[in-house]
Amino acid sequence: MTDDPEIAFLCDPELEGTLPKPDRAIRFAPDWFKDLPREMDIPDADGKPGMTVKACLPVTDAFALGYVIPLPYETHIRVPQDQQNMQFGWPHEVAFQPIEFHHPGQIGAPAPPFGPVTPLKFVNPWRIRVPDGYSVLFTTPLSRPDLPFQLFSGFVDCDKFATTINFPFLWRGGVGDFVLPAGMPMVQLIAIRRDTLIKDHVARGSSEEELDEQAHAHDRKYNSESAYAREWRVKK
């Protein structure tokens, strides 16, 4: 029996112990989700207790998927009305600047769909090392409308790419003065074995057997409490 594959986050030895560490993504689940009750105080259309998104296990599983790299340093951001000439600040003792600029032409701005924006990038101090055959999907932390930025997602062959990866993004927080605390979720990453990717597909009408299967699953989903948790969910 072989050992489970391991992902490693490697930083400069001089930075070790000075940065918030990457961790399993579920540790960064937002307060709005953790504080949300499972039930609303109103019934659903069938008279059963109305459930919130807290009761949706697929959402919880997405929060728990992979790992999160946190923002290394507290960052102050001043966004003017034009949302282009942004100013940044951070503590004097930082080892590197956590945010840098990209040229707007790199994304085709100011042409649609971007308009007059300034693309930015998070500077990441962590190299991600994965076993041979694995790539890593980097994306905005999932289901996080509370975050004031949107990353350009990337898929990197981290088993071959032996250096750090920075994360380009657009500011979505509006105009004003903002403080991004050290340790806030910066990027969610999911390691994927390349030989498991499905490369063939079909799009067609369902067969009678498939329609029956779907109808049965639909009935179980809406008329049997916790059917998904008992019958369909595979614990990660």
PDB file of all heavy atoms in Angstrom, residues 25-38:
ATOM      1  N   ALA A  25      -8.878  24.168   3.427  1.00  0.00           N
ATOM      2  CA  ALA A  25      -9.790  25.265   3.086  1.00  0.00           C
ATOM      3  C   ALA A  25     -10.909  25.449   4.099  1.00  0.00           C
ATOM      4  O   ALA A  25     -11.347  26.578   4.350  1.00  0.00           O
ATOM      5  CB  ALA A  25     -10.370  25.035   1.691  1.00  0.00           C
ATOM      6  N   ILE A  26     -11.379  24.369   4.716  1.00  0.00           N
ATOM      7  CA  ILE A  26     -12.508  24.485   5.642  1.00  0.00           C
ATOM      8  C   ILE A  26     -12.167  25.370   6.824  1.00  0.00           C
ATOM      9  O   ILE A  26     -13.045  26.003   7.418  1.00  0.00           O
ATOM     10  CB  ILE A  26     -12.968  23.092   6.127  1.00  0.00           C
ATOM     11  CG1 ILE A  26     -14.333  23.180   6.817  1.00  0.00           C
ATOM     12  CG2 ILE A  26     -11.909  22.462   7.002  1.00  0.00           C
ATOM     13  CD1 ILE A  26     -15.457  23.671   5.950  1.00  0.00           C
ATOM     14  N   ARG A  27     -10.890  25.504   7.145  1.00  0.00           N
ATOM     15  CA  ARG A  27     -10.487  26.360   8.272  1.00  0.00           C
ATOM     16  C   ARG A  27     -10.735  27.836   7.970  1.00  0.00           C
ATOM     17  O   ARG A  27     -10.677  28.668   8.867  1.00  0.00           O
ATOM     18  CB  ARG A  27      -9.012  26.133   8.579  1.00  0.00           C
ATOM     19  CG  ARG A  27      -8.642  24.676   8.848  1.00  0.00           C
ATOM     20  CD  ARG A  27      -8.486  24.403  10.321  1.00  0.00           C
ATOM     21  NE  ARG A  27      -8.303  22.970  10.546  1.00  0.00           N
ATOM     22  CZ  ARG A  27      -7.173  22.442  10.976  1.00  0.00           C
ATOM     23  NH1 ARG A  27      -6.123  23.216  11.191  1.00  0.00           N
ATOM     24  NH2 ARG A  27      -7.095  21.151  11.198  1.00  0.00           N
ATOM     25  N   PHE A  28     -10.967  28.165   6.694  1.00  0.00           N
ATOM     26  CA  PHE A  28     -11.175  29.553   6.283  1.00  0.00           C
ATOM     27  C   PHE A  28     -12.645  29.817   5.917  1.00  0.00           C
ATOM     28  O   PHE A  28     -12.943  30.852   5.326  1.00  0.00           O
ATOM     29  CB  PHE A  28     -10.285  29.888   5.088  1.00  0.00           C
ATOM     30  CG  PHE A  28      -8.816  29.871   5.402  1.00  0.00           C
ATOM     31  CD1 PHE A  28      -8.090  28.684   5.343  1.00  0.00           C
ATOM     32  CD2 PHE A  28      -8.158  31.036   5.759  1.00  0.00           C
ATOM     33  CE1 PHE A  28      -6.738  28.660   5.632  1.00  0.00           C
ATOM     34  CE2 PHE A  28      -6.796  31.026   6.037  1.00  0.00           C
ATOM     35  CZ  PHE A  28      -6.082  29.831   5.985  1.00  0.00           C
ATOM     36  N   ALA A  29     -13.539  28.901   6.276  1.00  0.00           N
ATOM     37  CA  ALA A  29     -14.956  29.128   5.987  1.00  0.00           C
ATOM     38  C   ALA A  29     -15.387  30.451   6.623  1.00  0.00           C
ATOM     39  O   ALA A  29     -14.994  30.771   7.749  1.00  0.00           O
ATOM     40  CB  ALA A  29     -15.805  27.978   6.526  1.00  0.00           C
ATOM     41  N   PRO A  30     -16.192  31.257   5.927  1.00  0.00           N
ATOM     42  CA  PRO A  30     -16.499  32.615   6.412  1.00  0.00           C
ATOM     43  C   PRO A  30     -17.466  32.614   7.590  1.00  0.00           C
ATOM     44  O   PRO A  30     -18.280  31.706   7.770  1.00  0.00           O
ATOM     45  CB  PRO A  30     -17.130  33.276   5.182  1.00  0.00           C
ATOM     46  CG  PRO A  30     -17.728  32.139   4.418  1.00  0.00           C
ATOM     47  CD  PRO A  30     -16.804  30.976   4.625  1.00  0.00           C
ATOM     48  N   ASP A  31     -17.391  33.681   8.373  1.00  0.00           N
ATOM     49  CA  ASP A  31     -18.266  33.811   9.539  1.00  0.00           C
ATOM     50  C   ASP A  31     -19.734  33.836   9.145  1.00  0.00           C
ATOM     51  O   ASP A  31     -20.585  33.298   9.866  1.00  0.00           O
ATOM     52  CB  ASP A  31     -17.911  35.078  10.320  1.00  0.00           C
ATOM     53  CG  ASP A  31     -16.574  34.966  11.041  1.00  0.00           C
ATOM     54  OD1 ASP A  31     -16.110  33.825  11.261  1.00  0.00           O
ATOM     55  OD2 ASP A  31     -15.997  36.011  11.383  1.00  0.00           O
ATOM     56  N   TRP A  32     -20.052  34.473   7.980  1.00  0.00           N
ATOM     57  CA  TRP A  32     -21.465  34.548   7.601  1.00  0.00           C
ATOM     58  C   TRP A  32     -22.053  33.156   7.430  1.00  0.00           C
ATOM     59  O   TRP A  32     -23.240  32.932   7.728  1.00  0.00           O
ATOM     60  CB  TRP A  32     -21.659  35.390   6.338  1.00  0.00           C
ATOM     61  CG  TRP A  32     -21.148  34.780   5.058  1.00  0.00           C
ATOM     62  CD1 TRP A  32     -19.969  35.063   4.433  1.00  0.00           C
ATOM     63  CD2 TRP A  32     -21.801  33.796   4.242  1.00  0.00           C
ATOM     64  NE1 TRP A  32     -19.843  34.326   3.278  1.00  0.00           N
ATOM     65  CE2 TRP A  32     -20.950  33.538   3.142  1.00  0.00           C
ATOM     66  CE3 TRP A  32     -23.015  33.116   4.324  1.00  0.00           C
ATOM     67  CZ2 TRP A  32     -21.267  32.628   2.131  1.00  0.00           C
ATOM     68  CZ3 TRP A  32     -23.335  32.189   3.323  1.00  0.00           C
ATOM     69  CH2 TRP A  32     -22.465  31.965   2.246  1.00  0.00           C
ATOM     70  N   PHE A  33     -21.218  32.207   6.982  1.00  0.00           N
ATOM     71  CA  PHE A  33     -21.703  30.839   6.791  1.00  0.00           C
ATOM     72  C   PHE A  33     -21.721  30.088   8.121  1.00  0.00           C
ATOM     73  O   PHE A  33     -22.689  29.390   8.434  1.00  0.00           O
ATOM     74  CB  PHE A  33     -20.811  30.118   5.785  1.00  0.00           C
ATOM     75  CG  PHE A  33     -21.265  28.732   5.458  1.00  0.00           C
ATOM     76  CD1 PHE A  33     -22.346  28.523   4.629  1.00  0.00           C
ATOM     77  CD2 PHE A  33     -20.614  27.617   5.992  1.00  0.00           C
ATOM     78  CE1 PHE A  33     -22.778  27.232   4.323  1.00  0.00           C
ATOM     79  CE2 PHE A  33     -21.035  26.336   5.699  1.00  0.00           C
ATOM     80  CZ  PHE A  33     -22.119  26.136   4.864  1.00  0.00           C
ATOM     81  N   LYS A  34     -20.675  30.247   8.918  1.00  0.00           N
ATOM     82  CA  LYS A  34     -20.615  29.547  10.200  1.00  0.00           C
ATOM     83  C   LYS A  34     -21.723  30.005  11.138  1.00  0.00           C
ATOM     84  O   LYS A  34     -22.256  29.209  11.922  1.00  0.00           O
ATOM     85  CB  LYS A  34     -19.244  29.771  10.850  1.00  0.00           C
ATOM     86  CG  LYS A  34     -18.117  29.038  10.141  1.00  0.00           C
ATOM     87  CD  LYS A  34     -16.828  29.098  10.918  1.00  0.00           C
ATOM     88  CE  LYS A  34     -16.030  30.299  10.612  1.00  0.00           C
ATOM     89  NZ  LYS A  34     -14.669  30.277  11.213  1.00  0.00           N
ATOM     90  N   ASP A  35     -22.085  31.274  11.061  1.00  0.00           N
ATOM     91  CA  ASP A  35     -23.107  31.821  11.967  1.00  0.00           C
ATOM     92  C   ASP A  35     -24.535  31.597  11.474  1.00  0.00           C
ATOM     93  O   ASP A  35     -25.494  31.847  12.209  1.00  0.00           O
ATOM     94  CB  ASP A  35     -22.883  33.327  12.153  1.00  0.00           C
ATOM     95  CG  ASP A  35     -21.567  33.635  12.851  1.00  0.00           C
ATOM     96  OD1 ASP A  35     -21.000  32.725  13.488  1.00  0.00           O
ATOM     97  OD2 ASP A  35     -21.092  34.783  12.738  1.00  0.00           O
ATOM     98  N   LEU A  36     -24.687  31.120  10.266  1.00  0.00           N
ATOM     99  CA  LEU A  36     -26.024  30.957   9.690  1.00  0.00           C
ATOM    100  C   LEU A  36     -26.717  29.738  10.290  1.00  0.00           C
ATOM    101  O   LEU A  36     -26.135  28.651  10.348  1.00  0.00           O
ATOM    102  CB  LEU A  36     -25.893  30.780   8.169  1.00  0.00           C
ATOM    103  CG  LEU A  36     -27.149  30.893   7.306  1.00  0.00           C
ATOM    104  CD1 LEU A  36     -27.683  32.324   7.327  1.00  0.00           C
ATOM    105  CD2 LEU A  36     -26.826  30.477   5.862  1.00  0.00           C
ATOM    106  N   PRO A  37     -27.974  29.859  10.745  1.00  0.00           N
ATOM    107  CA  PRO A  37     -28.692  28.672  11.225  1.00  0.00           C
ATOM    108  C   PRO A  37     -29.067  27.760  10.063  1.00  0.00           C
ATOM    109  O   PRO A  37     -29.133  28.192   8.910  1.00  0.00           O
ATOM    110  CB  PRO A  37     -29.935  29.266  11.893  1.00  0.00           C
ATOM    111  CG  PRO A  37     -30.147  30.570  11.200  1.00  0.00           C
ATOM    112  CD  PRO A  37     -28.778  31.092  10.853  1.00  0.00           C
ATOM    113  N   ARG A  38     -29.324  26.489  10.356  1.00  0.00           N
ATOM    114  CA  ARG A  38     -29.720  25.548   9.317  1.00  0.00           C
ATOM    115  C   ARG A  38     -31.151  25.784   8.852  1.00  0.00           C
ATOM    116  O   ARG A  38     -31.481  25.516   7.704  1.00  0.00           O
ATOM    117  CB  ARG A  38     -29.583  24.103   9.823  1.00  0.00           C
ATOM    118  CG  ARG A  38     -28.152  23.621   9.909  1.00  0.00           C
ATOM    119  CD  ARG A  38     -28.103  22.214  10.511  1.00  0.00           C
ATOM    120  NE  ARG A  38     -28.963  21.281   9.821  1.00  0.00           N
ATOM    121  CZ  ARG A  38     -28.639  20.594   8.733  1.00  0.00           C
ATOM    122  NH1 ARG A  38     -27.448  20.772   8.187  1.00  0.00           N
ATOM    123  NH2 ARG A  38     -29.485  19.742   8.189  1.00  0.00           N
TER     124      ARG A  38
END
